[in-house]
Amino acid sequence: MSLNAERSYKMKLRDVENAFKYRRIPYPKRSVELIALLAISCTFFLFMHTNKLNSRLKEMEVKLQPSEFSALGLTGNHISGHDAGKHDDINTLHGTYQYLKSTGQLKHLTTAQLNNTPRAQVDTLFFNRVAKTGSEKMMELLKILGKRNNFQARRDAGAVYEVVIMHDAFAKNFIRTEVVNCTQANSYTKHVAFLDFDLLGEPWPIYINLVRDPVERLVSWFYYIRSPWHFGERRNAFGDAIPLPDIDWLKKDFNRCIEERDPECVYEQMEMGNLGDHRRQSLFLCGQNMAVCMPFNSHEAMQRAKKNVEKHYAVVGTWEDTNTTLSVLEGYIPRFFGGAKDEYYALRKILGNVNMNSYRPGISDKARAILSQNLTREIELYQFIRHRLYKQYIALKLEEDPRLRN
């Protein structure tokens, strides 16, 4: 942006701020409020956050992901001593394969060991979606797959506030009236923490979920709630129940928020509040026990979430490993996800990236380092889930080509 253009933009922004401050902008109707909000938000994002490189890189990441196991070169024992010593090697598909091979686990790995789908007691796919993991995209995919594979894709009714934590009586009624009440094959989607169907005396569905890099997820949430379309949709749906935001809040920068310890961006260890900002990805996999699952970044919550993932979830994937996730969904839940890859890439051409904020700035190295120190258990859980996903994928490929065991 040129110096003159920047000065002109700052003058315009100051005029808008003053107009709000001294009430020269009237608020006779909700539509006028909405237009003013959208104008301010769009101007701010267009001028200050024209960083589209991030979204381009994400698209390239997906395209460059291996669609076939052989593309990873996993057919020989060629891991070097240098690679074997890398701390994060196991957090890649190739590293997971080499780890399983070097420890002797590869010879005995089967899909049956990793497949929880046969344990389901009803023909219901339950997607208790984690916020800001790309769940809207999955919901669109489920709608399309429902038509292809003859099941009904359902979701919860919209509400001003999500009910993520439920007491037992409420949860039991929710399950009976919303989740397992359908007489045909179906999927049901809702933001809700893991529900233990055994404890509630109800039949188990097929559990699935998505996760995302914890740092990227928090950055995404920070700018998503400031996006004009987010406010526009919520104001249209819920009217005056959604208040107009403060301009200074809209202008807030995530890096400065973290580095200057703004109260919105402070992530205290073991604290019990701030449920509304979705800082706890683990909560959705840990469950409804507040004492165990609410303390932020706790070891106990992480361990409970790991146990639930291994014991109860058919698949927990991530769009950061798109092809791997889709392959595992197709392989382990074919009744619902047959043809998922074909439908997904056709869907991308039509819709692009649902809810993607193209004007989101990047995160600084300093802010990332601070967040990483505060999200140690959340990051460990995320890597555990990816490692399990890779094992599920490798087991599928071993059944296709047993020579890969050697």
Side-chain angles (χ1 to χ4, degrees):
M1 185 186 297
S2 68
L3 183 60
N4 288 337
E6 184 176 356
R7 286 174 178 169
S8 175
Y9 164 66
K10 288 181 177 178
M11 289 175 65
K12 289 178 180 178
L13 185 58
R14 187 161 53 249
D15 288 342
V16 174
E17 291 173 341
N18 289 335
F20 271 92
K21 183 176 180 181
Y22 298 110
R23 296 294 179 184
R24 293 202 302 270
I25 294 180
Y27 296 105
K29 294 181 179 179
R30 183 181 302 159
S31 59
V32 176
E33 294 176 342
L34 182 58
I35 291 169
L37 170 64
L38 292 175
I40 294 165
S41 301
C42 289
T43 302
F44 173 65
F45 277 95
L46 285 171
F47 278 94
M48 298 298 289
H49 304 313
T50 54
N51 183 9
K52 293 187 178 180
L53 180 60
N54 184 60
S55 60
R56 292 285 179 87
L57 288 173
K58 287 293 183 185
E59 290 177 6
M60 290 175 64
E61 248 179 53
V62 170
K63 291 177 181 177
L64 290 173
Q65 287 185 65
S67 58
E68 297 297 336
F69 199 62
S70 59
L72 295 168
L74 301 183
T75 56
N77 187 17
H78 59 270
I79 187 168
S80 67
H82 173 72
D83 290 336
K86 288 184 179 178
H87 178 73
D88 63 346
D89 189 63
I90 198 172
N91 295 327
T92 65
L93 179 55
H94 181 273
T96 298
Y97 173 83
Q98 294 293 354
Y99 170 77
L100 294 172
K101 188 171 186 177
S102 66
T103 57
Q105 297 179 55
L106 199 65
K107 291 183 178 180
H108 310 289
L109 188 68
T110 66
T111 56
Q113 299 167 357
L114 302 164
N115 191 2
N116 289 328
T117 302
R119 299 179 184 178
Q121 297 166 317
V122 289
D123 204 9
T124 296
L125 183 81
F126 188 26
F127 178 28
N128 69 311
R129 59 180 181 139
V130 179
K132 298 311 298 171
T133 59
S135 59
E136 294 279 353
K137 196 188 305 183
M138 178 62 78
M139 290 165 66
E140 291 300 319
L141 180 60
L142 285 170
K143 288 180 186 178
I144 294 170
L145 289 173
K147 296 176 182 177
R148 175 171 178 148
N149 296 327
N150 192 29
F151 68 87
Q152 184 180 354
R154 304 180 299 139
R155 63 159 299 170
D156 61 327
V160 178
Y161 300 107
E162 295 281 359
V163 181
V164 176
I165 299 294
M166 305 173 174
H167 58 73
D168 287 351
F170 188 99
K172 192 175 185 69
N173 182 67
F174 162 71
I175 290 172
R176 285 185 172 180
T177 59
E178 297 290 332
V179 182
V180 297
N181 62 322
C182 196
T183 56
Q184 67 181 90
N186 70 98
S187 66
Y188 187 87
T189 301
K190 175 179 167 54
H191 288 304
V192 62
F194 173 81
L195 292 163
D196 189 324
F197 284 69
D198 274 343
L199 289 178
L200 296 167
E202 300 296 334
W204 283 93
I206 303 168
Y207 255 117
I208 67 163
N209 219 320
L210 293 170
V211 292
R212 185 177 182 180
D213 178 277
V215 173
E216 290 297 322
R217 183 172 164 272
L218 288 182
V219 180
S220 177
W221 174 257
F222 182 90
Y223 287 110
Y224 170 70
I225 59 174
R226 288 166 168 79
S227 63
W229 56 88
H230 173 70
F231 276 104
E233 289 175 357
R234 287 178 65 76
R235 289 285 290 189
N236 282 336
F238 305 114
D240 292 334
I242 307 299
L244 286 170
D246 177 75
I247 292 178
D248 289 335
W249 182 82
L250 282 174
K251 291 165 56 180
K252 196 178 288 188
D253 175 77
F254 186 74
N255 292 323
R256 290 186 61 186
C257 189
I258 291 290
E259 294 169 18
E260 296 175 3
R261 290 187 60 80
D262 184 300
E264 184 182 355
C265 300
V266 173
Y267 303 96
E268 296 288 353
Q269 303 301 289
M270 303 297 290
E271 60 99 1
M272 298 286 287
N274 296 296
L275 179 62
D277 67 7
H278 299 297
R279 62 184 59 190
R280 300 166 181 82
Q281 185 164 241
S282 59
L283 175 65
F284 290 85
L285 304 169
C286 177
Q288 301 286 330
N289 188 321
M290 295 281 282
V292 173
C293 301
M294 274 298 288
F296 177 68
N297 201 45
S298 83
H299 181 267
E300 191 175 3
M302 176 191 71
Q303 291 298 104
R304 180 74 63 89
K306 286 182 179 180
K307 181 179 178 181
N308 287 337
V309 167
E310 282 208 307
K311 186 177 180 180
H312 298 299
Y313 280 83
V315 178
V316 181
T318 173
W319 293 129
E320 289 153 324
D321 287 291
T322 301
N323 287 337
T324 304
T325 294
L326 293 173
S327 296
V328 171
L329 287 168
E330 284 184 334
Y332 288 78
I333 321 176
R335 169 68 183 85
F336 291 89
F337 286 96
K341 277 189 285 192
D342 291 341
E343 298 293 356
Y344 171 82
Y345 287 110
L347 176 67
R348 272 179 61 91
K349 290 178 182 178
I350 299 170
L351 295 180
N353 285 306
V354 180
N355 271 351
M356 174 171 277
N357 185 352
S358 298
Y359 303 105
R360 196 198 88 179
I363 181 173
S364 69
D365 291 340
K366 182 178 179 181
R368 182 179 293 278
I370 293 171
L371 270 180
S372 296
Q373 291 172 1
N374 291 330
L375 294 166
T376 51
R377 284 358 183 315
E378 292 286 331
I379 292 171
E380 182 179 337
L381 174 62
Y382 167 72
Q383 296 294 5
F384 170 86
I385 289 168
R386 289 184 72 177
H387 180 61
R388 177 180 185 256
L389 180 73
Y390 296 153
K391 285 177 67 176
Q392 289 180 306
Y393 181 81
I394 291 167
L396 286 172
K397 294 304 173 182
L398 290 174
E399 292 187 355
E400 292 178 12
D401 186 359
R403 292 173 299 175
L404 291 169
R405 296 184 187 275
N406 301 322

